[in-house]
Amino acid sequence: MDQESSPPCAGVGIVEFLQGKSYFITGATGFLGKALVEKMLRGVPDVGRLFLLIKGKDKEDAMKRLKSEIINAEVFKSLKAIHGNSYEAFMISKLVPVCGDVCSENLGIDAQTTNEIAKEIDVIINSAAQTTWDARYDVSININTKGPARVLEFGKKCKKLRLFLHVSTAYVNGTRQGVFYEKPFCLDRRSTRRDTITSKAQEISVPLLDIDAEIKLASVAAESISKNADQIMRELGTERARIHGWFSTYEMTKAMGEMLVDSLRSSIPTVIIRPSFIESTYREPFPGWIQGYKVPILAAYGQSQLPCFVGDPNTIVDSVPMDMVVNATLAALAKHGIDGNPELHVYHVATSVANPHSFKDVFNYAYDYFSSSPLLDSKGKKISIRPMEFLVSMDSFTDLIKNEVAQRSGLAPGDNVYISDPKRYLRMQLACLKTVHRFVRIANSYKAYMFYKGRFDVTNTKKLIEDMSIEERKKFNFDIESINWKHYIKSVHIPGVRKHLLRQTPAAKL
């Protein structure tokens, strides 16, 4: 969208709405939560207090986590530069840690604290989530399904509440193919997946979904299983998701969370933000910031650990920079906080329709980057890579990975380690099996998306941009059509992963 040629407009009123309001935010120590808090404090310095739900033993523990995981976090370095020596005082004046947990009734907040903060809160932002795709079924349900419902019930105690905003995922649409529109799920809690998806998406026949029954099933299973509970509960979640038309436990439990929010919200104005895969920041607070505990596929590729993958190279990959998710969230929050309409509004922050790019594009850009600026191994030597090879089946992927791992570890045919040192040979075998299992699990997790044909319409999101003033579009940019994927992946995202996750500085160019 050409921002400069757009007609002037009064705008949404983002800064005007955000300033002076008080917010209750869950998930503030997470990737998205930190970025939201950072932009609110930097973009609207006159914002009211932000009450952050932080899990801890007590108030003192919550305050320690606030300082170590938020105030001292790298993403706030721009804000720190702005405030200088008064930075910590500014942060303490704005951020209020609330000891609690979305897994507990009343969020684990004591009655006195509830009464105190309920008088102040104008807006609730729920971004807490269990994002592991194959987490235990009971854990995912407790956080992703029951969690939003608990936060919403807490919101009903807030007399000044203007808006409830829930962060979901575009992938609640599950295994169907086609174009998915920005529509809320059916209000009926006993609903077939046929009722929740736009008619332009391919329909499939799935069993009736009963959220209460799924919650009870997960609870009873967790209580009755004593051995290998983690593995069994993970497998149960995956099985239930596939039965009901989702790829993963994460998607299914997030979808059920949306349905509970819609059925319980009453007349509270509600917004659901559905981002696709969230990647590093595009521009702000600085390019390439990313947080996580898992090494992304591109990093494994750059380390020459993953020379092949299962998937169709022409599949459209739907990813979006973190700062655009944040800005879209704040714009939607202001728009519907101001109008006060007691409806549910849904926004996709996704690129597959408006600015698509393929997995082949991504890995071609990655190959160019790592060829000219290779990663370093543990001995400081440059790692060579080859173009990504796409395979059509898990069997072929597993065979190729086994051979690659065996060759690199000295277990290839013709090696005589098993004769000269049997114990070392056994250790090497076990290490190889562990490595192969790790990559097979990664491939199994991503496989569905590597062949995925779903697309996410962004009509509401584009209309939101049109409603913004030119100044707002500059300050709160989320124009996904403006993303230059080659520049972003080669010059922003991969360098960001390298710096913030791998802790490596770029090597000299070859």
Side-chain angles (χ1 to χ4, degrees):
M1 183 178 297
D2 186 352
Q3 295 182 0
E4 298 304 321
S5 63
S6 300
C9 61
V12 172
I14 302 173
V15 172
E16 292 79 5
F17 179 78
L18 265 66
Q19 62 188 7
K21 304 288 189 307
S22 292
Y23 299 80
F24 182 82
I25 303 174
T26 72
T29 59
F31 182 32
L32 174 60
K34 281 181 186 172
L36 266 169
V37 169
E38 193 279 336
K39 183 57 186 281
M40 292 173 77
L41 295 177
R42 179 171 51 85
V44 190
D46 294 330
V47 68
R49 293 200 293 174
L50 309 184
F51 294 87
L52 310 182
L53 186 71
I54 299 177
K55 191 175 181 180
K57 295 179 294 185
D58 49 35
K59 293 180 180 179
E60 183 179 348
D61 192 38
M63 177 58 80
K64 285 181 181 178
R65 287 194 66 193
L66 174 71
K67 291 182 177 179
S68 65
E69 298 181 40
I70 296 179
I71 294 177
N72 294 331
E74 187 176 18
V75 69
F76 291 93
K77 71 178 185 181
S78 298
L79 202 58
K80 191 171 185 177
I82 293 170
H83 291 277
N85 294 333
S86 62
Y87 167 71
E88 186 164 338
F90 169 76
M91 295 292 276
I92 293 296
S93 73
K94 293 292 185 181
L95 306 181
V96 182
V98 179
C99 186
D101 184 2
V102 296
C103 292
S104 302
E105 291 304 315
N106 198 47
L107 307 180
I109 305 173
D110 63 77
Q112 181 179 345
T113 303
T114 297
N115 291 334
E116 289 175 357
I117 67 177
K119 298 174 185 176
E120 292 194 45
I121 294 168
D122 298 284
V123 174
I124 289 178
I125 301 174
N126 179 52
S127 69
Q130 167 56 264
T131 58
T132 303
W133 290 342
D134 62 347
R136 288 178 56 127
Y137 195 36
D138 56 330
V139 173
S140 284
I141 279 183
N142 209 9
I143 299 174
N144 295 340
T145 302
K146 297 171 70 176
R150 294 189 188 104
V151 179
L152 184 60
E153 290 302 316
F154 178 82
K156 292 178 180 178
K157 300 174 184 178
C158 303
K159 306 302 181 186
K160 295 168 54 183
L161 190 66
R162 301 275 294 271
L163 184 82
F164 178 82
L165 186 144
H166 173 61
V167 180
S168 185
T169 172
Y171 292 94
V172 292
N173 293 292
T175 57
R176 282 165 181 74
Q177 301 177 12
V179 178
F180 303 106
Y181 290 92
E182 296 154 300
K183 293 172 56 178
F185 281 99
C186 175
L187 290 173
D188 185 359
R189 289 173 63 186
R190 288 184 59 89
S191 162
T192 62
R193 295 283 287 122
R194 184 182 301 278
D195 295 327
T196 68
I197 302 298
T198 172
S199 59
K200 288 201 176 183
Q202 181 189 47
E203 301 293 354
I204 59 173
S205 177
V206 294
L208 189 70
L209 174 65
D210 185 332
I211 297 177
D212 291 332
E214 294 300 320
I215 291 172
K216 185 175 181 180
L217 171 65
S219 177
V220 171
E223 291 173 0
S224 60
I225 298 170
S226 57
K227 293 183 179 180
N228 300 319
D230 284 349
Q231 180 180 345
I232 293 173
M233 291 305 296
R234 284 199 302 268
E235 291 174 352
L236 175 63
T238 301
E239 178 188 8
R240 299 306 296 173
R242 289 175 179 168
I243 286 173
H244 287 289
W246 283 278
F247 291 122
S248 70
T249 307
Y250 169 70
E251 296 171 353
M252 179 179 179
T253 55
K254 289 291 284 186
M256 292 193 296
E258 279 198 23
M259 287 187 267
L260 284 188
V261 165
D262 200 4
S263 64
L264 297 173
R265 66 186 179 82
S266 187
S267 61
I268 297 174
T270 302
V271 169
I272 291 178
I273 301 292
R274 290 184 189 152
S276 57
F277 288 116
I278 304 177
E279 301 288 7
S280 58
T281 55
Y282 195 52
R283 290 195 181 94
E284 55 173 328
F286 48 89
W289 177 73
I290 189 169
Q291 172 183 297
Y293 62 92
K294 293 180 179 178
V295 177
I297 289 177
L298 288 181
Y301 172 62
Q303 292 168 327
S304 195
Q305 296 177 349
L306 203 63
C308 62
F309 213 60
V310 180
D312 178 356
N314 296 312
T315 295
I316 299 301
V317 53
D318 201 315
S319 59
V320 63
M322 168 60 81
D323 45 337
M324 292 196 176
V325 179
V326 167
N327 289 333
T329 298
L330 296 179
L333 182 155
K335 177 178 176 63
H336 299 291
I338 290 172
D339 69 32
N341 195 319
E343 295 180 358
L344 171 60
H345 300 272
V346 178
Y347 291 90
H348 285 152
V349 190
T351 58
S352 54
V353 168
N355 190 359
H357 62 299
S358 69
F359 281 106
K360 179 174 63 179
D361 294 333
V362 172
F363 282 103
N364 283 344
Y365 298 147
Y367 177 74
D368 289 345
Y369 174 86
F370 290 121
S371 295
S372 62
S373 186
L375 294 175
L376 306 178
D377 64 17
S378 59
K379 297 178 181 178
K381 294 179 62 176
K382 295 174 181 177
I383 300 173
S384 297
I385 63 166
R386 60 180 188 256
M388 173 60 78
E389 181 179 354
F390 292 92
L391 305 172
V392 296
S393 72
M394 281 300 300
D395 287 343
S396 56
F397 171 79
T398 303
D399 289 342
L400 197 152
I401 285 294
K402 281 181 179 178
N403 291 333
E404 286 278 340
V405 172
Q407 288 178 4
R408 294 179 191 183
S409 61
L411 291 177
D415 293 324
N416 297 317
V417 177
Y418 70 96
I419 297 174
S420 60
D421 192 343
K423 289 185 178 179
R424 179 167 170 253
Y425 173 75
L426 180 60
R427 289 196 301 270
M428 291 167 68
Q429 262 199 331
L430 292 173
C432 286
L433 286 172
K434 186 176 180 181
T435 300
V436 170
H437 176 75
R438 174 183 167 225
F439 284 118
V440 168
R441 183 179 177 186
I442 291 173
N444 269 318
S445 296
Y446 279 94
K447 182 176 65 173
Y449 305 101
M450 297 295 290
F451 295 98
Y452 185 62
K453 302 302 181 186
R455 302 288 184 271
F456 307 116
D457 178 74
V458 287
T459 299
N460 292 351
T461 302
K462 291 178 72 172
K463 177 62 168 63
L464 185 58
I465 295 176
E466 292 170 5
D467 291 341
M468 297 164 66
S469 67
I470 292 175
E471 186 61 32
E472 285 178 327
R473 294 178 201 175
K474 292 178 181 177
K475 192 170 184 178
F476 298 91
N477 173 50
F478 54 96
D479 180 8
I480 54 178
E481 294 182 1
S482 70
I483 300 172
N484 180 318
W485 288 114
K486 182 177 180 180
H487 165 75
Y488 173 66
I489 294 169
K490 291 180 63 174
S491 302
V492 179
H493 179 56
I494 297 179
V497 168
R498 180 177 199 144
K499 178 179 180 181
H500 300 290
L501 298 186
L502 300 180
R503 306 297 178 188
Q504 280 195 21
T505 54
K509 295 192 179 238
L510 296 176

